[in-house]
Amino acid sequence: MSECVASTRKSLGRLALEYGTDKGPHGHNYTRHYQQYLDDRVPDTINRILEIGVAHAASLRMWADYCPRAQVTGLDNDPRGDYPATDRIRVILGDQHDLVKLRDIAAEYGPFDLIVDDGSHVCEDIILSFETLWTYMVPGGLYSIEDLHTSYWSDRKAIEYFKGLVDTINLNGNSGWGDVRNDPEFSRLIESLSPLQQCVESVSFFKSLVWVNMRDVDRLATASKSSAVGAA
């Protein structure tokens, strides 16, 4: 991002306040974390965003303003909402636990650079949405689950699920290397990894917020081929 553009672009926190979303400094203050992620990616290169649970669509307007090239899709189950309909913002009616609806949206409007789950906060819905949608992320894409403190109000399944991804990214101890691509046994390991183990680069926990960052699977496959050739 050029210095000129960076100096004139409003911060994500400022836009959150202007549009009235609780993601900003006077609410959950998630925008301070999103700001760093979006700036690392360069906002002008963010092409597709999906948010589950949009309320009055304030955050959709915030995303569209900060990422000027992004197509922003929202999913909400309230037919009474006064949702925007522009050339860059759309809201689709449906339930988060509707597997077919999730797949249809992802197939039509993905793959996504950013997926934000601010939906029902029901543990089963959170897990179902993640397991359905993570395959529709671009390399380096971010899957964000907000308000995860609500998991503690029920059976904690969601928070425990994402804690379990810590084991996933460490391959349950099956590699002695920090970067599995440098493991001498890589060509053997790659065949035994689950799709999720191949794709999750990192898991980050903040207050009430969890991020799952996806790696470049094509690059991983290339590393596997290179390792096999080197061993030949």
Side-chain angles (χ1 to χ4, degrees), residues 5-218:
V5 173
S7 64
T8 58
R9 189 190 305 275
K10 292 181 180 179
S11 72
L12 201 61
R14 171 54 58 188
L15 291 174
L17 294 174
E18 290 184 5
Y19 288 112
T21 171
D22 64 1
K23 299 184 193 309
H26 292 176
H28 298 294
N29 204 15
Y30 298 145
T31 50
R32 59 180 172 152
H33 303 300
Y34 287 122
Q35 178 90 55
Q36 180 177 351
Y37 167 74
L38 292 172
D39 287 353
D40 285 346
R41 288 292 303 273
V42 183
D44 290 355
T45 67
I46 304 295
N47 295 314
R48 297 179 182 89
I49 297 172
L50 171 65
E51 180 161 359
I52 301 170
V54 303
H56 302 296
S59 56
L60 301 188
R61 295 180 174 94
M62 176 190 72
W63 300 127
D65 195 330
Y66 197 74
C67 303
R69 297 183 180 179
Q71 291 291 318
V72 182
T73 302
L75 172 66
D76 204 280
N77 63 1
D78 187 354
R80 301 165 298 174
D82 182 19
Y83 304 127
T86 72
D87 61 340
R88 294 181 48 231
I89 301 175
R90 68 185 63 84
V91 176
I92 298 169
L93 290 177
D95 287 311
Q96 181 176 3
H97 57 258
D98 185 336
L99 181 63
V100 174
K101 175 68 73 173
L102 292 175
R103 286 176 174 165
D104 287 348
I105 291 172
E108 183 168 358
Y109 300 110
F112 300 105
D113 298 273
L114 172 64
I115 295 179
V116 178
D117 183 348
D118 189 17
S120 69
H121 305 323
V122 174
C123 289
E124 288 78 10
D125 291 350
I126 292 169
I127 295 169
L128 173 68
S129 297
F130 176 75
E131 291 188 338
T132 302
L133 294 172
W134 71 263
T135 56
Y136 295 92
M137 305 291 295
V138 302
L142 178 69
Y143 195 107
S144 175
I145 303 94
E146 297 183 350
D147 303 339
L148 203 56
H149 60 278
T150 59
S151 177
Y152 292 95
W153 301 349
S154 57
D155 54 17
R156 297 169 54 110
K157 282 183 180 177
I159 191 70
E160 295 301 331
Y161 177 91
F162 289 101
K163 285 180 184 178
L165 289 186
V166 175
D167 297 324
T168 295
I169 64 175
N170 285 288
L171 309 185
N172 297 95
N174 290 323
S175 173
W177 293 69
D179 189 336
V180 67
R181 288 167 290 193
N182 296 329
D183 192 319
E185 298 295 316
F186 182 85
S187 58
R188 175 185 61 81
L189 282 170
I190 192 68
E191 299 299 328
S192 66
L193 301 183
S194 71
L196 200 56
Q197 285 177 319
Q198 293 186 43
C199 293
V200 174
E201 178 67 30
S202 63
V203 182
S204 303
F205 291 85
F206 309 93
K207 283 189 175 182
S208 303
L209 183 69
V210 172
W211 284 1
V212 182
N213 190 251
M214 300 300 172
R215 66 159 56 102
D216 188 336
V217 182
D218 291 337

